[in-house]
Amino acid sequence: KNMRFVQNRYYSGVKIVDSFIGGKFVKSRSKEFFDVVNPATQEILSRVPQSTNKEMSAAVEAASTAFPKWRDTSIQQRQRVMLRFQELINKNMGRLAESITLEQGKTLADAKGDVFRGLEVVESACHIAPLMMGETLGSLTKGLDTYSYKHSLGVCAGICPFNFPAMIPLWMMPMAIATGNTFVLKPSEKVPGATIILASLLQKAGLPDGVLNVVHGSKKTVDFICDSKEIRAISFVGSNEAGAYIHERGT
């Protein structure tokens, strides 16, 4: 009983990190949590829930529901969202860097570099139209012309490591979203702050509800993403061992 009392007092006032599902920041009903610890001071900054199956299913369902309309949204309009997102990242560079420094331990200068390297991908997504173009070839043989088109896949997912809290999510979701896909993102349970800020900035940039969803957790969440029949593609950065596991289970 004394141990339980100390534990409850220890976590008193510690923020629980929200999920982002269907355009809303959602409080998890999970009973399993991970501590987000400042590596410089060992202070517990926040607690990350292990998203429940119901919450993860809701995220995938929101992405599935949003996909047809987002796929049919013009490329110009999708680019405009990315242009506003780019502007908001620049305006919030310090806020993002501070979150990275607190949770991951990088110096502020290195944390800003983390954000900037991801921002470069957003800048590329602002000019996605040429990459979306198909190809044509007339008279491939007698009476035969060929045409190729690039189509959005559907619901995609990203699984991120702890070492680049902004850069790697920004490697994944801007390109997937700009090309007409919807996205379910799992940040590292050790460094969720930057991803939550980025989700809020994308919402302010005008991204429709359900196009981006953020869930939390460790292996249970990875397994859910790999096993989901609705998720058409998975982006991953991490160790060879984890990558081989995700490839085998998710294929």
Side-chain angles (χ1 to χ4, degrees):
K1 290 182 179 179
N2 289 336
M3 286 289 290
R4 188 178 297 115
F5 172 75
V6 170
Q7 185 179 35
N8 289 340
R9 185 175 63 183
Y10 186 57
Y11 287 125
S12 177
V14 174
K15 179 184 176 182
I16 304 298
V17 178
D18 291 339
S19 302
F20 185 64
I21 300 172
K24 296 179 181 179
F25 289 96
V26 179
K27 300 292 183 187
S28 176
R29 294 184 175 274
S30 178
K31 298 185 184 301
E32 183 180 352
F33 296 87
F34 307 91
D35 293 341
V36 179
V37 179
N38 183 329
T41 65
Q42 297 304 300
E43 174 192 1
I44 295 179
L45 302 169
S46 60
R47 305 192 76 203
V48 177
Q50 169 56 62
S51 294
T52 65
N53 282 344
K54 185 176 181 180
E55 290 161 357
M56 292 187 284
S57 295
V60 173
E61 182 179 354
S64 298
T65 301
F67 171 65
K69 186 174 181 179
W70 183 244
R71 174 195 59 201
D72 295 339
T73 299
S74 71
I75 293 176
Q76 287 181 330
Q77 184 59 37
R78 299 199 300 255
Q79 288 180 148
R80 288 189 191 105
V81 172
M82 288 298 139
L83 283 164
R84 290 191 289 267
F85 186 41
Q86 174 196 28
E87 179 184 9
L88 288 168
I89 291 174
N90 274 307
K91 288 181 177 178
N92 289 272
M93 182 80 70
R95 179 184 171 202
L96 285 159
E98 182 179 351
S99 173
I100 292 168
T101 295
L102 286 173
E103 293 183 351
Q104 203 271 342
K106 295 181 180 182
T107 64
L108 274 172
D110 196 10
K112 287 180 180 179
D114 186 326
V115 180
F116 182 77
R117 287 187 288 272
L119 179 61
E120 291 177 321
V121 179
V122 181
E123 291 169 346
S124 295
C126 292
H127 307 283
I128 198 66
L131 296 177
M132 292 291 291
M133 294 177 66
E135 297 176 335
T136 63
L137 179 62
S139 300
L140 178 64
T141 187
K142 186 176 180 180
L144 178 64
D145 300 332
T146 64
Y147 302 85
S148 67
Y149 300 92
K150 294 180 180 179
H151 294 282
S152 308
L153 288 173
V155 181
C156 301
I159 300 170
C160 302
F162 78 97
N163 51 343
F164 290 95
M167 182 184 78
I168 292 175
L170 290 173
W171 279 1
M172 298 177 179
M173 60 182 180
M175 284 302 200
I177 290 170
T179 52
N181 302 288
T182 55
F183 211 79
V184 177
L185 183 64
K186 189 204 88 68
S188 167
E189 66 276 14
K190 298 178 181 179
V191 288
T195 291
I196 293 299
I197 294 171
L198 291 170
S200 71
L201 297 181
L202 259 175
Q203 187 177 48
K204 289 179 182 177
L207 190 71
D209 294 349
V211 176
L212 173 67
N213 303 271
V214 179
V215 294
H216 299 291
S218 58
K219 185 176 181 295
K220 289 180 182 178
T221 311
V222 171
D223 288 347
F224 180 92
I225 289 171
C226 291
D227 296 343
S228 174
K229 302 300 182 185
E230 289 79 17
I231 293 175
R232 301 292 307 278
I234 300 171
S235 184
F236 168 76
V237 174
S239 69
N240 288 344
E241 182 181 359
Y245 175 82
I246 290 168
H247 180 267
E248 181 178 357
R249 183 158 184 154
T251 299

